[in-house]
Structure formats: C-alpha cells, structure tokens
Amino acid sequence: MALAFDPDTISFYDREAAPYANSSQRSTHIDAFIAAVGTGAKILELGCGAGHDAEALIAAGIDVTATDASSKLAAIASARIGRPVRAMRFDEITDVDVFDGVWANACLLHVPVGSLAGVLASVHASLRSGGVFYASFKAGDGEGRDRLGRYYNFPRRTGPVAIRGAVQ
C-alpha cells in the first residue's frame, strides 16, 4: 500500500516553516468558498500552512478545524489564529459526516498518485450531505519533485481547474 504522504515533503515544510509562513498569503479563492458554505458552517481545512485562510474563515464566522502535516507550520498557524491546529496527515482523516465543507488549497497536490483516490474518499466521507469541497492542484504531467525537493502529483489539465459544487 502506497503512503498517503511524502515524508521528504513534510520534512521540507518543517525545516522551512518560518520562511514559508512569511512568504505565504491568503488564497484568492477563499471568499467564494466562504460564500458557498455560509456563516456558521463547520469546515475542515487540510494543509493550512501559516493559517492565512483559517484566519479568513474564522473572521467570516465559520467553525474551522485547521490541520497541517507539518508540526512546525501547525504551530505557526495556531499562533496566528489563536486556537489549536491539528498536526495531521491526509491519511489520518477519520471524521465521518461531520463537515459542511473541506478546504484543501494547494495541499492535496502533495499526495502520492497511488494514494490520492483513498484520500479523496476520506474527504468525501468527512462531508455532510450537500457539503462543499475545494481543492487546487498544479497542472503537469505525471508526478515528480520541484527544485526544492517537494513531491507533486501534477495531474494533467484535462478538465476544470477547480471543481465547485455539492458532494452527494
């Protein structure tokens, strides 16, 4: 069974947490997601990084469970949002029928190809009926590493870049 995470990528983010946090920013797509889920929604954020998006979700009155596989980034995000952030890998999603939405901005692109279907099934299981799921990926061909050594699954761009809508 393939791992649902890449240890070298997690190590990179642990090692480079402070510079990465200083260079990251809020997603340009977060406002559309907030509008789709609505105030008071219960959201699982995967790969929260420095916590910029979690901060925006909280400010909008959304109940966020923020997570990141990097314990160092989880600590930085926790300090930013003033609440605990779970240091959790994608293969550790165990919630079932709990969330109104899942926000996975630029993080599932680090899941090894052989494990992506299983991770997406866990994400789907965590959503309540009618839940909203957002994920973003980098288009490419196959899988590989960037110049910093981070793993990417690089799906081909054959359809929509982002899939919006309800999960039934």
Side-chain angles (χ1 to χ4, degrees):
M1 181 168 138
L3 292 177
F5 61 93
D6 177 62
D8 293 339
T9 300
I10 294 171
S11 292
F12 168 84
Y13 285 111
D14 276 338
R15 199 173 49 252
E16 300 294 327
Y20 177 79
N22 290 332
S23 69
S24 64
Q25 57 190 352
R26 178 181 164 181
S27 170
T28 59
H29 301 286
I30 194 73
D31 291 332
F33 182 76
I34 289 168
V37 297
T39 300
K42 186 171 175 67
I43 302 302
L44 173 63
E45 182 181 10
L46 300 173
C48 73
H52 296 285
D53 293 341
E55 185 175 50
L57 292 164
I58 292 165
I62 293 172
D63 178 13
V64 180
T65 299
T67 71
D68 201 283
S70 163
S71 60
K72 305 283 186 180
L73 280 174
I76 290 170
S78 181
R80 173 181 296 282
I81 65 173
R83 59 178 73 175
V85 171
R86 288 169 49 186
M88 183 186 91
R89 298 184 319 258
F90 305 125
D91 62 328
E92 296 174 315
I93 300 169
T94 59
D95 301 292
V96 175
D97 195 32
V98 172
F99 299 104
D100 300 305
V102 174
W103 176 257
N105 187 55
C107 63
L108 294 178
L109 47 72
H110 294 305
V111 176
V113 170
S115 300
L116 191 55
V119 169
L120 291 174
S122 294
V123 167
H124 182 267
S126 76
L127 286 166
R128 294 179 179 143
S129 179
V132 178
F133 173 48
Y134 173 87
S136 60
F137 292 83
K138 290 183 178 188
D141 189 17
E143 57 187 313
R145 295 192 181 276
D146 67 6
R147 62 180 179 76
L148 302 173
R150 297 173 296 183
Y151 170 86
Y152 288 90
N153 52 35
F154 293 121
R156 286 192 176 142
R157 188 174 178 168
T158 58
V161 174
I163 299 171
R164 295 186 178 97
V167 176
Q168 303 297 329

